[in-house]
Amino acid sequence: MAKKNTTVFFCQECGNESSKWMGQCPACKKWNTFVEEKVNMTSGNVKITPFRENAKPVEIGSISMREEERMHTGIAELDRVLGGGIMHGSLTLVGGDPGIGKSTLLLQMCRLLANENKKVLYISGEESLKQIKLRAIRIGDFQDTMLLLCETNLSVVEETIRHTEPDVVIIDSIQTMYQESVASAPGSVSQVREATNIFLQLAKGMGPAIFIVGHVTKEGTVAGPRVLEHMVDTVLYFEGDRYASYRILRGVKNRFGSTNEIGVFEMRKEGLIEVENPSEYMLSGKPIGASGSVVVCSVEGTRPILIEIQALVCRTNFGIPRRQTTGTDFNRVNLLMAVLEKRLGLQIGDCDAYVNIAGGMKINEPAIDLGLIMAIVSSFKNRAVDEKTIVFGEVGLSGEVRAVNMAQQRVQEAKKLGYQTVIMPRVNLEGMDKMEGIRVIGVGGISEAIDMI
């Protein structure tokens, strides 16, 4: 069989292949994403082995579902993000910045699964066996059903998985795996795509749940082709400042559960500890009687979370005012400031404005619009908002306060943490159950909300 080396170009975003370099990808319309790679073009037929269970069509009514299709990890926050536990035969991609805690979380999960007599295979291409053992000692004791392998050759990894038949497999990381038949370097588009395809066939054909650790780029996305995220069943991102104690695990894709679900963890010397009440954790250290501080209620997946928004508005000393945001959309803040200036006549066009989401979370939900408005006005007028009040609602360009989803759950979360007043869209009051011990105020426009400061 003759082999021929040739040069092709791949798009790092979508994996589109081209015989020549192009400035813009014709498939995904992204600019400067093509990279050059050398591949082996083999003449002859290529043999592809299909999944065994999908070799012939079956009637959908004959497929039986069992309650034990999911494995509980023993980490409630992780189970929540996964949609209730680990699905058998699933392929999950875990991404995050270096040092954020991806390997630590997965090693903790492996320990708890091994203690439940699940056979776990941890394959590392970045650490030696002794280095993994050092991290494992810090976390706790492991059962003998926890197996370790340090290997980067895909052929050896595939043969090991087929021979040991584990329940759960961890690949740390996908960028270190290489296939000898692919001429490009490990971590390239071709190698990452080939490795993911092999693990996909193993997961669907044999049934183990496979977790893949992926490095991220400076933009925060998983390095390699975008097709990698399309191939897997679940994509999880580990967020947070590596120098801070909190960590947020966010599900951005999940075929077996809701997306945008989050789990909150705290990094300690013994590993990652679950934060059972994120609202209380995020509001710790909130100043009392300070202007520009407003508590809002945002919904992440199915969980309402109370978060503090801080704003600082002051006259600029330069010709062009400075605007800066942390944790929310910069353009959205500019838009809301324009609404304030147009609809309420506030002269804030020549002011510097700084907006911060306390706690380090990134929130882009429209329901925090009203909270942003009130925080900016509170700082501009130097008047504090009542510390026992929370705010939520979407703001339109006409200054109207529009409805948001899950209003009942947001009010219940505020009541649970001892808040006494809720300012929310008036249209959401219809159909809500009355609750004792908390005052609910509906507003139809931002002028009504501002009058309460």
Side-chain angles (χ1 to χ4, degrees):
M1 186 176 292
K3 288 187 178 181
K4 176 183 171 183
N5 288 331
T6 185
T7 299
V8 296
F9 296 86
F10 289 99
C11 175
Q12 291 180 304
E13 287 290 328
C14 64
N16 184 43
E17 181 180 340
S18 174
S19 59
K20 62 180 181 179
W21 186 88
M22 290 184 287
Q24 185 186 38
C25 175
C28 64
K29 306 302 180 184
K30 297 290 184 179
W31 288 92
N32 299 324
T33 57
F34 273 91
V35 293
E36 178 183 2
E37 290 185 13
K38 291 183 178 180
V39 297
N40 286 333
M41 302 297 292
T42 305
S43 61
N45 295 328
V46 179
K47 234 176 141 185
I48 299 177
T49 304
F51 305 146
R52 293 180 181 176
E53 63 180 5
N54 295 338
K56 60 180 181 178
V58 296
E59 298 177 355
I60 189 171
S62 64
I63 301 174
S64 61
M65 296 294 295
R66 302 172 299 168
E67 293 184 359
E68 61 270 16
E69 285 295 328
R70 290 187 184 269
M71 289 182 288
H72 294 288
T73 63
I75 305 176
E77 293 293 301
L78 180 57
D79 286 340
R80 170 195 288 271
V81 179
L82 291 173
I86 305 173
M87 283 288 295
H88 292 276
S90 62
L91 186 62
T92 303
L93 174 64
V94 182
D97 295 331
I100 202 70
K102 304 183 296 296
S103 301
T104 300
L105 177 63
L106 293 176
L107 198 59
Q108 287 182 231
M109 181 191 73
C110 292
R111 173 180 174 270
L112 295 172
L113 289 173
N115 291 341
E116 296 294 329
N117 294 322
K118 301 291 185 182
K119 184 181 287 187
V120 181
L121 177 60
Y122 191 102
I123 302 173
S124 176
E126 300 179 345
E127 297 178 288
S128 65
L129 294 175
K130 292 183 178 179
Q131 290 173 332
I132 301 175
K133 179 66 174 179
L134 283 174
R135 283 198 295 116
I137 292 175
R138 178 168 55 91
I139 293 175
D141 297 329
F142 283 74
Q143 300 292 331
D144 292 336
T145 52
M146 170 76 176
L147 306 176
L148 298 179
L149 174 66
C150 293
E151 184 59 61
T152 58
N153 191 320
L154 267 173
S155 301
V156 178
V157 170
E158 181 181 4
E159 183 61 29
T160 303
I161 295 175
R162 294 187 182 276
H163 177 72
T164 57
E165 297 182 353
D167 297 309
V168 178
V169 180
I170 309 296
I171 307 296
D172 189 6
S173 65
I174 189 66
Q175 278 82 10
T176 61
M177 299 293 152
Y178 75 94
Q179 178 69 278
E180 294 178 341
S181 60
V182 180
S184 57
S188 62
V189 175
S190 301
Q191 290 284 8
V192 170
R193 185 166 55 184
E194 179 67 19
T196 307
N197 184 52
I198 289 176
F199 292 131
L200 180 65
Q201 292 189 25
L202 289 171
K204 304 306 178 184
M206 295 181 57
I210 301 180
F211 286 79
I212 297 174
V213 176
H215 296 161
V216 297
T217 62
K218 61 182 180 181
E219 290 82 14
T221 59
V222 176
R226 181 67 66 173
V227 69
L228 172 63
E229 298 187 9
H230 296 310
M231 295 173 67
V232 300
D233 298 312
T234 307
V235 180
L236 308 179
Y237 275 101
F238 225 10
E239 303 173 355
D241 188 351
R242 60 180 298 186
Y243 301 108
S245 61
Y246 61 85
R247 300 289 189 272
I248 297 171
L249 184 66
R250 185 185 302 272
V252 297
K253 174 188 176 181
N254 194 348
R255 290 174 178 161
F256 315 116
S258 62
T259 57
N260 288 326
E261 196 73 67
I262 69 167
V264 184
F265 299 87
E266 182 181 2
M267 177 63 81
R268 298 180 184 174
K269 62 180 181 179
E270 63 269 19
L272 289 161
I273 306 299
E274 300 175 69
V275 178
E276 297 181 356
N277 193 341
S279 297
E280 184 178 1
Y281 181 77
M282 294 295 176
L283 294 176
S284 60
K286 181 182 180 298
I288 298 176
S291 63
S293 176
V294 175
V295 178
V296 299
C297 187
S298 176
V299 173
E300 297 292 328
T302 59
R303 166 186 281 177
I305 298 180
L306 301 188
I307 302 169
E308 179 192 1
I309 294 181
Q310 297 176 334
L312 179 62
V313 180
C314 56
R315 296 294 176 185
T316 183
N317 294 323
F318 304 98
I320 301 177
R322 185 178 181 184
R323 307 285 168 79
Q324 183 175 329
T325 62
T326 303
T328 189
D329 185 29
F330 174 80
N331 295 322
R332 188 68 180 176
V333 173
N334 281 335
L335 184 147
L336 293 175
M337 293 183 68
V339 171
L340 282 173
E341 192 161 3
K342 178 71 174 180
R343 303 303 176 188
L344 296 184
L346 295 181
Q347 300 301 319
I348 57 177
D350 57 347
C351 293
D352 293 336
Y354 307 90
V355 176
N356 175 47
I357 304 294
M361 287 192 65
K362 296 179 181 179
I363 304 295
N364 290 318
E365 190 194 13
I368 69 171
D369 288 353
L370 189 58
L372 288 169
I373 288 276
M374 296 191 69
I376 292 171
V377 175
S378 171
S379 178
F380 178 72
K381 294 186 175 183
N382 200 25
R383 297 179 184 174
V385 179
D386 182 25
E387 60 185 24
K388 291 297 183 180
T389 299
I390 75 159
V391 181
F392 62 86
E394 181 182 355
V395 176
L397 295 182
S398 300
E400 78 278 13
V401 180
R402 308 176 73 89
V404 298
N405 64 334
M406 297 180 65
Q408 183 82 33
Q409 290 85 340
R410 297 176 199 255
V411 176
Q412 289 174 348
E413 181 72 11
K415 181 182 177 181
K416 184 173 68 174
L417 291 182
Y419 284 84
Q420 300 172 356
T421 306
V422 176
I423 301 176
M424 57 178 287
R426 183 178 295 128
V427 292
N428 277 123
L429 293 178
E430 300 179 4
M432 277 189 57
D433 298 333
K434 293 184 178 179
M435 287 185 287
E436 301 292 336
I438 189 168
R439 186 165 63 114
V440 180
I441 302 174
V443 294
I446 58 175
S447 59
E448 300 178 44
I450 297 304
D451 290 340
M452 300 179 186
I453 297 180

